[in-house]
Amino acid sequence: MSQSLTRYAWLSIGAAVVTIGLKGGAYLLTGSMGLLSDALESTVNLLAAIVALIVLNVAVRPPDEEHQFGHNKAEFFSSGFEGALILVAAASIIVTSVNRLLNLQDIEQAGIGVVISLGASLINLFVARVLLRASRQHNSITLEADSHHLMTDVWTSVGVIIGVAAVAITKLAWLDPVIAFLVALNIIWTGVNLVRRSLLGLMDTSISGDENQKVLAVLEQYKQQEGIDWHAVRTRSAGSRSFISLHLLVPDQWTVRQGHALAERIEQDIHAAVPTSTVFTHVEPAGDPVSWQDEQLDRAAAQNA
């Protein structure tokens, strides 16, 4: 698993190095502020890919004494760090754009700059699609964040290319820093969304609505077939893994063996519906009033209220 995921991080690192060289060269040839902003974002891509490589190696470590639920949450640190880097890059672009707007300069060799930037964008587009497909296959927020960032880079490059071409055609030098400023605003939006999602993950956000419906469908099926009931379903996401806990209320006359066998079947079916999940069940007698009083997270506090 580790080797499978880290190879995508290495692919992202390689693409970032190549695109930094291409976009940096395009900026040196043209002096375009837009192309410089594009190159700066590719530098962020490189830093983010390096962090992703480190985090993916941590996330796949097996549970240990200090981290008994595994290390999957490390992926949220990677996506959060990437979001923060995006915001730093955006701030840098805005400052540089304002300075250039106050001190306008003509763009040179625009045609060559556009061709080079277009080549770099095609590289990012290819890598972004590969990473997105891998993130869905392995349920990795780290690869997903890297993929979305690269796609933002692609659209940023498209905007910059249009800006450079517009300056070359219209001879309006102010278009270049203005477009760079608009690019920075787009980058800020992406960075904020990544940071927000990472913070939600670190706060044990529930699994997606679609996955939750799959869990409830399994439980409802057993309720109809076996005459059991359930409550206190709680879920949380931890990187590529999901944790699901619930209480099963079974007939009073059932033996421990019967209740355990049912719980095993339900856990297997929920795992089949949500493959990344680890399921915990607690079997209770439906006829005991106490069984219906522990739906809250803090059972003792609820009983004393």
Side-chain angles (χ1 to χ4, degrees):
M1 181 72 168
S2 175
Q3 184 179 8
S4 174
L5 292 182
T6 54
R7 66 175 178 172
Y8 294 110
W10 280 113
L11 175 63
S12 184
I13 289 173
V17 171
V18 173
T19 54
I20 287 172
L22 290 174
K23 293 178 180 181
Y27 162 69
L28 292 176
L29 286 172
T30 63
S32 166
M33 187 57 237
L35 288 174
L36 176 59
S37 69
D38 215 6
L40 286 174
E41 189 175 1
S42 292
T43 303
V44 174
N45 290 346
L46 176 59
L47 292 174
I50 293 173
V51 172
L53 177 63
I54 297 172
V55 167
L56 287 173
N57 277 306
V58 172
V60 296
R61 292 178 184 173
D64 54 33
E65 286 298 320
E66 293 185 347
H67 307 90
Q68 298 183 2
F69 285 88
H71 299 78
N72 302 82
K73 269 195 173 182
E75 291 203 54
F76 291 117
F77 290 100
S78 173
S79 58
F81 179 73
E82 181 166 0
L85 285 177
I86 292 173
L87 294 177
V88 171
S92 175
I93 293 170
I94 289 174
V95 171
T96 309
S97 298
V98 172
N99 289 335
R100 178 58 64 87
L101 190 59
L102 297 175
N103 301 279
L104 295 176
Q105 295 181 19
D106 293 331
I107 293 179
E108 301 176 358
Q109 303 185 64
I112 298 177
V114 167
V115 170
I116 295 175
S117 183
L118 181 59
S121 299
L122 291 175
I123 293 174
N124 279 337
L125 177 61
F126 170 76
V127 175
R129 299 305 300 174
V130 171
L131 293 181
L132 183 60
R133 185 167 57 250
S135 72
R136 291 171 177 171
Q137 180 180 354
H138 299 286
N139 195 33
S140 170
I141 188 176
T142 298
L143 294 180
E144 181 183 345
D146 215 6
S147 170
H148 288 319
H149 187 191
L150 285 175
M151 280 307 301
T152 299
D153 199 357
V154 170
W155 290 114
T156 297
S157 298
V158 170
V160 169
I161 290 171
I162 293 174
V164 172
V167 172
I169 295 172
T170 65
K171 306 301 181 182
L172 298 175
W174 58 267
L175 283 175
D176 182 43
V178 167
I179 289 177
F181 182 85
L182 295 176
V183 165
L185 295 181
N186 179 58
I187 294 173
I188 288 175
W189 177 257
T190 302
V192 169
N193 283 335
L194 281 177
V195 171
R196 177 180 177 276
R197 184 173 178 187
S198 300
L199 291 176
L200 289 175
L202 291 172
M203 293 178 65
D204 287 340
T205 301
S206 301
I207 61 177
S208 69
D210 180 60
E211 291 175 326
N212 190 64
Q213 287 301 316
K214 292 179 180 178
V215 173
L216 297 181
V218 171
L219 294 173
E220 188 63 29
Q221 178 182 356
Y222 275 93
K223 181 178 181 178
Q224 299 297 327
Q225 295 177 351
E226 303 288 345
I228 57 95
D229 212 331
W230 46 270
H231 65 203
V233 178
R234 299 186 181 95
T235 68
R236 66 183 179 91
S237 299
S240 60
R241 184 181 293 275
S242 301
F243 293 98
I244 302 170
S245 66
L246 59 104
H247 297 178
L248 294 175
L249 297 117
V250 302
D252 292 9
Q253 66 271 22
W254 276 26
T255 64
V256 173
R257 182 180 295 274
Q258 284 178 290
H260 178 260
L262 176 71
E264 286 288 318
R265 287 160 51 200
I266 290 177
E267 289 177 11
Q268 290 176 4
D269 286 353
I270 291 177
H271 179 73
V274 185
T276 61
S277 64
T278 297
V279 187
F280 305 97
T281 54
H282 175 59
V283 180
E284 301 175 315
D288 186 350
V290 176
S291 299
W292 298 88
Q293 298 174 4
D294 60 352
E295 292 190 55
Q296 297 185 31
L297 185 61
D298 297 317
R299 177 174 179 175
Q303 290 179 333
N304 294 331

